Amino acid sequence: MLAIASFIVAAIAIFLLLAFFQSPLQLWSVGAGAYLVTLSIAYQWSATTNAVVFGIFAVLAAILNVGVLRRAVISNRVLAIFRRILPDMTQTEKDAIDAGTVWWDADLFSGKPDWTKLLAIPAPRLSAEEQAFLDGPCEEVCAMANDWEITHERYDLPPKLWQYVKDKGFLGMIIPKKYGGLGFSALAHSAVVMKLSTRSNALAVTVMVPNSLGPGELLLHYGTEEQKNHYLPRLAKGQEVPCFALTSPEAGSDAASIPDFGVVCKGTFQGKEVLGMRVTWDKRYITLGPVATLLGLAFRLYDPEHLLGDKEDLGITCALVPTNHPGVNIGRRHLPLNAVFQNGPNSGKEVFMPLDWIIGGREYAGKGWMMLMGCLAAGRSISLPTSSVGGAKALARLTGAYSRVRVQFKTPIGKLEGVEEALGRIAANTYMMDACRIMTAGAVDLGEKPAVISAIAKYHMTERARHIVNDAMDIHGGKGICLGPNNWVGRGYQVLPVGITVEGANILTRTLIIFGQGAIRCHPYVLREMRAAKEMQGAAAEIEFDDAFTSHIGHTLSNGVRAFIHGITSSRLGQTPRNGAPETRHYYRFTSRLAAAFAFLADVSMLAMGGALKRKEKISGRLGDVLSMLYLVSATLKHYEDQGRQKEDLPMIRWVVRDLLYHAQEAIDGILSNFPVKSVATLLRWTIFPLGMSFRPPLDARNRESAKVLLEPGATRDRLTAGMYLPKGETDPTAAVEAAFVATIACEPIDEKLRKAVKKGKMVPQPGVDLGSLGLKHQIISADELAQWQKKEALRKSVIKVDDFPQDFGRAEILQKLGDEKLPHAVKVA
Ligand SMILES: Cc1cc2nc3c(=O)[nH]c(=O)nc-3n(C[C@H](O)[C@H](O)[C@H](O)COP(=O)(O)OP(=O)(O)OC[C@H]3O[C@@H](n4cnc5c(N)ncnc54)[C@H](O)[C@@H]3O)c2cc1C
């Protein structure tokens, strides 16, 4: 009996070992053969038994190990089924799938992230020139920007600010120097947008858009030499203001279905008959559209007279249209949640334009979707993730300061546990968001166009910013609600949904893109299998499919076994980096465990649901969440290393990593609870959580320590909010809150003396007499201390002040002040 049990245990151990290390088929065969030989000797099998058992083994081993046999018996049959059930992809879907590159996301998808490799990637750094730009023009432009003037008085940037932005090259950060641009790295681009976002959203968006997906980026990748030489220097210096018009009333998220169209035809341009296109479009929501001089226009091009070739429906095409061209209608504005950056509709009806206006020339007619998808990742990695981090940093610093200055129940509100809880979240989330910003921009600087990672960064940075602004609003109470020059939270709260909606609305990004694209692009074998099935023929297809398919099985088995073993060993065998800090070692192990679980779950979900998984957005959204959490943990841990393992940052890391791991676990739990095949769900749960769900939410103690970072001046707070604009002096409302914060802390010993004196009955507070003066009178504090205390009080009062307005909210006065200056439409109407 004991011997049987030991043989069973040995068999399981061999199986687990071989699967854990994803051993090749030959090793499996050797292992199985050796096991059978041991059994044969131990149980003294008869010659007949040996012949039967080893005969069957030899046949199976031959089928599995000899490529020709394996293909004939197994993989060619699977290939045939695969070809039958795999839906045909449209060109649009193919372009989206092929776009961009995969990077660390592929490691996570493998189930075995190589942490040593990740940590060996050097931390991205700004050049001296880039730093000088941030310290010079970028500081200057922030100092010039007054958000209330922009959002309430002018509904636009003042002309001086517009000019400065153009003259200093802010609109041409991504344009190489040879064309007169700044030629900045992605990190520098991100640092600039982040700083601007800490000052004025309208300013940040105005700078962000020309440096994101649009005419500049498209010209750089696909423009003809003539187009590049003409437009890029003009864009770099702001002589052209670009916009990019894709969205139509009928085509928002489903942008590939735009009804805007052009027809190839002959026409007259500049007095000559040329081959061109007559284009009709109706676009909306176009940022910078109302003031653009150069309209990047996407439409579907048709060639019914076959003037260009055989094809009639050429497909989506991108052209550059000067907005002073007859028939182009621009100028009207939307009002996106009082953000007031220029945004509006534009249209044209049967506007004739030469074919040369197609970006890349006529060869690129119909290739617009491929061009857009190819260029999407770089901008999406930077614009919205970065502006969200800017918002987070500003809110973290200002909310922390405010909650130390604002006193209720005789206590700074930041020290009341309920407020502290929200503050702790703000601090830890800000740390993680900055980590994600830097790692993602760093990937772009390494030459990646990270398709899936940019979607993760866009979705999660905007969502975490939403949590942060909600927390900040709650902490500010009425002060955050009443808009005015003294409110530094309200506009951020208003404008937040813009980031959620643009560059792929968040629900769609989460439920359709992150896992949908990730499953195909980042998975080590799925794309190879699909290509073998749909794009290859004959022996080449069979060999490629066989290799990918057998590796895929090994991969799935290995990840299942690894998830199980990590589950029963509390992740003790999880990979850790050779070069990582000991204090964060366990987080790498936990993440490795979840990566194995995710990879296994992803494979089983694809197997169980096939093409239907695409429609099961609640499941694929959660799978995307797990992948995203793994990426965000990776970025956080790398940031800790890249910043030189700052021990004071550990509370924020501990809070946020636990939060991310817990969320990943919750997402897996959600998938398992809703998995359509219940028996498979049970097996999956036994495999992934053999001892139950072990990750817990972050501890209150870590939350308290994180909140403390925002409640104390010092290096940790400065490091967390590094790169934000800090106005000098005390007159600017955000400078005043910082000054009040410092003064409040410096005054605490004086406040304590006054408080104790009252408590001990040495003085009795009197209505209308301030406590400081009373303290001086009773010789509790000195005259110097009184001066210090009164200065602090003045600052405190200015910080808690809320704006009020005359009945017309000051509009009559504003109109008088602006005088003859051209006013935007919205103010004129008002
Ligand atoms: C302020 C602002 C600036 C913009 N700037 C530009 C610009 O410069 N150029 C430009 O071309 N466009 C621009 N846009 C357009 C922007 O990209 C679109 O608003 C966005 O693509 C969403 O389209 P929609 O608003 O029509 O929403 P809809 O497409 O109507 O979507 C509504 C909701 O349905 C969800 N949804 C849609 N399809 C799916 C799906 N398959 N699965 C799950 N959920 C789904 C979306 O996530 C969203 O939550 C801008 C928009 C705004 C508001």
Side-chain angles (χ1 to χ4, degrees):
M1 197 61 193
L2 191 65
I4 294 176
S6 0
F7 274 113
I8 293 173
V9 169
I12 294 172
I14 292 172
F15 170 82
L16 292 178
L17 261 172
L18 288 168
F20 190 89
F21 292 107
Q22 203 176 338
S23 311
L25 271 173
Q26 293 91 323
L27 211 58
W28 278 91
S29 309
V30 172
Y35 184 72
L36 290 179
V37 170
T38 319
L39 280 182
S40 162
I41 295 167
Y43 289 97
Q44 296 174 354
W45 285 347
S46 67
T48 325
T49 313
N50 272 331
V52 172
V53 172
F54 284 98
I56 295 172
F57 171 72
V59 172
L60 287 176
I63 291 174
L64 290 174
N65 288 289
V66 181
V68 189
L69 286 177
R70 188 175 58 235
R71 288 197 291 278
V73 179
I74 307 172
S75 42
N76 284 357
R77 290 162 199 250
V78 181
L79 175 60
I81 299 172
F82 214 67
R83 280 186 167 142
R84 237 188 1 260
I85 59 171
L86 194 69
D88 284 329
M89 261 201 256
T90 62
Q91 190 55 43
T92 315
E93 284 172 323
K94 266 193 203 150
D95 287 340
I97 291 291
D98 290 344
T101 59
V102 290
W103 185 59
W104 181 246
D105 40 342
D107 258 72
L108 295 171
F109 231 101
S110 75
K112 277 187 285 189
D114 180 350
W115 299 112
T116 306
K117 182 180 83 180
L118 179 73
L119 297 195
I121 298 169
R125 299 263 179 259
L126 296 169
S127 70
E129 186 192 351
E130 292 167 342
Q131 189 61 56
F133 187 84
L134 282 157
D135 297 338
C138 205
E139 282 280 312
E140 182 67 27
V141 82
C142 287
M144 289 164 75
N146 175 333
D147 198 47
W148 185 247
E149 180 193 6
I150 294 169
T151 58
H152 180 70
E153 298 182 2
R154 292 180 179 269
Y155 283 55
D156 195 4
L157 307 186
K160 219 167 70 182
L161 204 54
W162 263 112
Q163 202 53 48
Y164 189 86
V165 159
K166 292 175 183 177
D167 291 347
K168 295 291 174 186
F170 279 90
L171 305 187
M173 283 190 285
I174 59 164
I175 297 178
K177 287 191 170 151
K178 69 171 179 169
Y179 294 110
L182 294 177
F184 275 178
S185 63
L187 185 69
H189 170 191
S190 154
V192 171
V193 171
M194 183 177 77
K195 183 168 276 198
L196 304 186
S197 307
T198 64
R199 186 62 172 165
S200 157
N201 176 271
L203 174 63
V205 172
T206 302
V207 167
M208 195 156 88
V209 165
N211 288 294
S212 196
L213 177 60
E217 178 91 10
L218 291 168
L219 278 170
L220 280 170
H221 287 92
Y222 304 104
T224 62
E225 280 311 305
E226 207 184 335
Q227 287 171 336
K228 286 191 206 174
N229 291 333
H230 176 73
Y231 279 122
L232 289 175
R234 295 178 60 73
L235 287 165
K237 289 280 167 261
Q239 287 155 352
E240 300 281 359
V241 175
C243 69
F244 189 70
L246 174 64
T247 307
S248 302
E250 300 295 342
S253 300
D254 185 10
S257 70
I258 41 173
D260 314 284
F261 65 96
V263 178
V264 180
C265 61
K266 288 193 176 136
T268 307
F269 181 68
Q270 294 179 339
K272 284 191 209 143
E273 186 181 270
V274 294
L275 196 53
M277 20 188 203
R278 218 168 274 292
V279 186
T280 297
W281 74 95
D282 176 20
K283 303 290 190 182
R284 66 177 180 183
Y285 305 146
I286 310 307
T287 303
L288 297 188
V291 294
T293 59
L294 187 61
L295 171 67
L297 184 63
F299 54 90
R300 209 168 181 95
L301 188 60
Y302 295 90
D303 184 15
E305 294 177 42
H306 298 280
L307 296 170
L308 293 181
D310 297 340
K311 259 173 116 178
E312 287 202 3
D313 178 357
L314 295 172
I316 292 177
T317 301
C318 298
L320 289 180
V321 185
T323 54
N324 59 7
H325 186 59
V328 178
N329 302 314
I330 63 159
R332 289 187 65 80
R333 297 179 70 179
H334 302 304
L335 184 53
L337 292 169
N338 282 34
V340 310
F341 54 82
Q342 292 282 345
N343 182 279
N346 62 68
S347 61
K349 190 154 189 251
E350 298 187 0
V351 178
F352 182 78
M353 55 189 78
L355 281 181
D356 298 350
W357 286 7
I358 295 175
I359 300 176
R362 68 176 69 180
E363 274 173 44
Y364 279 84
K367 296 198 174 147
W369 191 250
M370 176 276 291
M371 291 157 71
L372 293 179
M373 291 298 105
C375 288
L376 178 65
R380 191 168 62 184
S381 297
I382 295 169
S383 303
L384 291 155
T386 290
S387 52
S388 303
V389 178
K393 287 195 175 195
L395 289 171
R397 195 167 177 107
L398 296 170
T399 310
Y402 179 77
S403 47
R404 187 79 191 245
V405 173
R406 174 70 172 160
V407 174
Q408 291 290 286
F409 302 101
K410 299 196 176 79
T411 313
I413 57 167
K415 297 197 172 175
L416 302 167
E417 272 213 9
V419 174
E420 182 184 83
E421 192 178 12
L423 269 182
R425 279 196 297 263
I426 294 178
N429 276 322
T430 303
Y431 185 94
M432 178 273 283
M433 289 170 68
D434 203 26
C436 175
R437 172 187 77 86
I438 294 173
M439 179 153 139
T440 309
V444 176
D445 281 332
L446 290 173
E448 302 293 340
K449 290 183 186 172
V452 177
I453 286 176
S454 63
I456 293 176
K458 190 269 162 176
Y459 176 84
H460 288 278
M461 296 310 95
T462 51
E463 288 295 336
R464 294 267 165 167
R466 171 143 69 180
H467 291 299
I468 287 179
V469 81
N470 281 338
D471 277 336
M473 280 295 282
D474 292 353
I475 292 176
H476 281 82
K479 167 89 186 164
I481 287 165
C482 295
L483 290 172
N486 282 295
N487 182 340
W488 47 80
V489 203
R491 289 293 194 221
Y493 176 76
Q494 277 184 297
V495 82
L496 202 279
V498 174
I500 300 284
T501 301
V502 300
E503 290 201 4
N506 272 10
I507 295 182
L508 167 130
T509 302
R510 171 174 175 262
T511 56
L512 203 66
I513 297 180
I514 296 178
F515 183 75
Q517 202 168 5
I520 299 175
R521 282 308 303 273
C522 307
H523 193 287
Y525 306 112
V526 165
L527 191 57
R528 284 181 59 200
E529 288 163 345
M530 285 170 65
R531 289 205 165 125
K534 288 288 173 181
E535 292 170 22
M536 297 169 76
Q537 295 301 330
E542 290 174 2
I543 292 169
E544 173 67 3
F545 184 83
D546 172 66
D547 186 52
F549 177 68
T550 45
S551 308
H552 192 159
I553 292 179
H555 167 82
T556 311
L557 206 60
S558 168
N559 279 318
V561 166
R562 288 173 53 256
F564 177 73
I565 290 182
H566 290 325
I568 55 170
T569 56
S570 299
S571 318
R572 283 196 181 79
L573 301 179
Q575 295 93 325
T576 54
R578 280 196 297 279
N579 41 356
E583 60 274 19
T584 51
R585 205 155 259 271
H586 52 304
Y587 294 135
Y588 293 99
R589 288 206 306 264
F590 294 153
T591 314
S592 295
R593 172 186 170 187
L594 285 175
F598 165 72
F600 180 58
L601 185 55
D603 269 331
V604 177
S605 303
M606 286 191 271
L607 190 71
M609 288 173 252
L613 184 54
K614 193 175 156 189
R615 289 184 301 280
K616 292 201 169 294
E617 293 187 346
K618 291 173 194 164
I619 299 283
S620 68
R622 290 185 181 110
L623 283 163
D625 289 345
V626 186
L627 178 63
S628 303
M629 298 303 134
L630 300 177
Y631 180 71
L632 300 178
V633 174
S634 310
T636 308
L637 296 177
K638 178 157 171 53
H639 194 54
Y640 178 64
E641 294 292 333
D642 288 350
Q643 289 211 321
R645 302 181 186 174
Q646 304 290 335
K647 297 283 183 292
E648 299 75 18
D649 295 349
L650 277 172
M652 295 182 284
I653 294 160
R654 290 191 169 128
W655 190 94
V656 83
V657 170
R658 269 184 92 130
D659 183 61
L660 295 166
L661 295 173
Y662 181 69
H663 269 92
Q665 176 182 269
E666 274 193 324
I668 296 176
D669 184 35
I671 297 165
L672 300 181
S673 302
N674 295 285
F675 206 80
V677 192
K678 293 299 162 206
S679 51
V680 176
T682 308
L683 277 175
L684 280 168
R685 199 176 277 283
W686 287 345
T687 310
I688 294 172
F689 300 126
L691 303 180
M693 295 194 291
S694 54
F695 297 109
R696 298 277 167 264
L699 295 175
D700 286 351
R702 298 291 97 78
N703 172 267
R704 161 163 290 205
E705 290 158 4
S706 296
K708 226 172 143 203
V709 170
L710 300 183
L711 290 168
E712 308 281 354
T716 315
R717 176 175 179 258
D718 289 345
R719 199 167 39 249
L720 182 70
T721 57
M724 73 173 274
Y725 174 67
L726 296 172
K728 316 264 176 321
E730 291 168 5
T731 46
D732 184 285
T734 54
V737 74
E738 185 74 14
F741 174 61
V742 174
T744 300
I745 291 166
C747 250
E748 272 174 0
I750 304 173
D751 274 315
E752 184 60 12
K753 278 190 206 174
L754 296 171
R755 198 186 61 78
K756 275 191 179 151
V758 172
K759 200 172 169 197
K760 289 184 178 165
K762 289 186 185 166
M763 62 182 197
V764 180
Q766 289 167 18
V769 181
D770 71 59
L771 210 56
S773 304
L774 208 62
L776 182 69
K777 195 172 141 197
H778 290 87
Q779 297 179 344
I780 307 291
I781 60 172
S782 68
D784 283 352
E785 285 176 321
L786 174 64
Q788 190 186 346
W789 187 86
Q790 283 175 332
K791 171 122 199 283
K792 179 265 297 184
E793 277 296 283
L795 282 165
R796 187 183 65 77
K797 284 191 163 47
S798 90
V799 163
I800 64 166
K801 188 173 81 189
V802 164
D803 299 286
D804 48 48
F805 301 91
Q807 280 289 323
D808 70 344
F809 289 102
R811 273 177 287 186
E813 201 183 319
I814 293 164
L815 291 175
Q816 201 179 10
K817 185 173 113 186
L818 294 179
D820 291 337
E821 273 186 37
K822 192 173 162 287
L823 288 179
H825 179 79
V827 178
K828 269 189 205 155
V829 169

